[in-house]
Amino acid sequence: MTSNPASNLDTLVTIFGGSGFLGRNVVRTLCKRDYRIRVAVRRPELAVHLQPAGKVGQIHAVQANVRHPASVEAAMRGSHVVINLVGILAEGGAQTFDAVQTRGAETIAKAASAIGARMVHVSAIGADENSPSHYSRAKAAGEQAVLAAAPSATILRPSLMFGPEDQFTNRFAALARISPFLPLIGGGVTRVQPAYVGDVATAVADAVDGKTKPSATYELGGPEVLTMREIMETILAITERKRMLISLPFGLARLQALFLQFAPGPLKLTPDQVAMLQSDNVVSDAAKAAGLTLEGLGITPESMQTIAPQYLWRFRAAGQFQRMSV
């Protein structure tokens, strides 16, 4: 009698940063494909919310800090595939861009290589060693470190991601609720290609399945290239709010960010985030030509206009009929 081929339940996937925005979606997607999931996070008790995404015993959380190599190696034992989703949008204390996005990525890649595990590393469109943004320079250095330690790793670079609980569309929708105007940094002409987090999670899962090319860098963007002004207008239309859009020159925005970097919630703005907005965040022609995109993976990306109304409805003005779009 011939035995049945091994199922995905025989494959252990360790996800660093699995409790974050993208991580939650990746965990759900991999659970549907029957992988065993180990979520490596700094505080495992905060990953309990992931348990309902899988079957009993399918998801297990362990403690790991990418700044401590021994904890990374321990969290990775017995893994077949390793995914690095760890990233920060603002620095704080020991959590610096270099410590997390460069040295942390290198630590994970070295540990994965040592045990022969396949590596999937999620970076970001805009990763560039010559960028004015420290975040983007650290992302580029992280990519280089990963490929040096694990040459067959797959690199995925999503554009700005949107979806329920994102820090992008929700932030501006919340700001429109409390402010009579929305700022357009640099005049709002910066172009981005927003990617739905569910599509990016599918691409990560496809990489785990082995559908991506080893050593390749994929750029993941949505179906539309939009300016920041157009995105603001879309958010205001969905939330049915009328707000002034005021152009804010980069120089003045950098000055304001010196103070707003300490502000809470949607008011927070760091000088590095201003620097990031000086460059477009879109899929390159080279990636399109090589088929290293969502479409190249056979994924039809969802647009912001289709998905955002499903969760931004709650920001509509009080007194108006609120209905979740389907």
Side-chain angles (χ1 to χ4, degrees), residues 17-143:
S19 63
F21 172 53
L22 175 57
R24 293 190 292 271
N25 286 272
V26 169
V27 168
R28 281 195 292 267
T29 303
L30 289 175
C31 281
K32 291 177 181 177
R33 301 189 187 190
D34 289 331
Y35 286 102
R36 287 190 294 129
I37 312 286
R38 180 185 291 155
V39 181
V41 289
R42 285 195 298 161
R43 298 179 60 186
E45 70 274 11
L46 298 183
V48 174
H49 65 279
L50 296 173
Q51 295 296 333
K55 303 179 181 72
V56 175
Q58 189 176 6
I59 303 169
H60 177 57
V62 297
Q63 196 282 332
N65 187 324
V66 297
R67 294 186 289 107
H68 301 147
S71 73
V72 171
E73 293 165 6
M76 205 180 290
R77 288 194 188 110
S79 301
H80 301 95
V81 185
V82 175
I83 304 172
N84 178 31
L85 304 177
V86 179
I88 54 175
L89 293 174
E91 297 178 304
Q95 296 291 100
T96 65
F97 292 136
D98 290 333
V100 174
Q101 296 176 172
T102 301
R103 293 192 296 275
E106 181 179 33
T107 295
I108 293 171
K110 284 182 174 179
S113 181
I115 64 171
R118 286 196 295 114
M119 174 85 182
V120 180
H121 176 68
V122 176
S123 181
I125 287 182
D128 182 353
E129 60 185 2
N130 298 313
S131 172
S133 161
H134 189 182
Y135 168 93
S136 298
R137 293 195 303 273
K139 281 288 190 182
E143 290 182 3

Side-chain angles (χ1 to χ4, degrees), residues 154-156 203 206 211-213 216-220 283-299:
T154 294
I155 307 290
L156 301 177
D206 284 353
K211 296 178 182 177
T212 54
K213 300 175 183 178
T217 298
Y218 288 75
E219 298 185 9
L220 313 179
V283 174
S284 68
D285 290 336
K288 293 176 186 176
L292 301 177
T293 60
L294 286 172
E295 293 87 348
L297 289 171
I299 300 168

Side-chain angles (χ1 to χ4, degrees), residues 148-173:
S152 63
T154 294
I155 307 290
L156 301 177
R157 290 179 170 181
S159 183
L160 288 171
M161 289 182 287
F162 66 91
E165 303 175 352
D166 69 27
Q167 295 184 43
F168 179 40
T169 58
N170 283 287
R171 174 185 180 182
F172 290 113

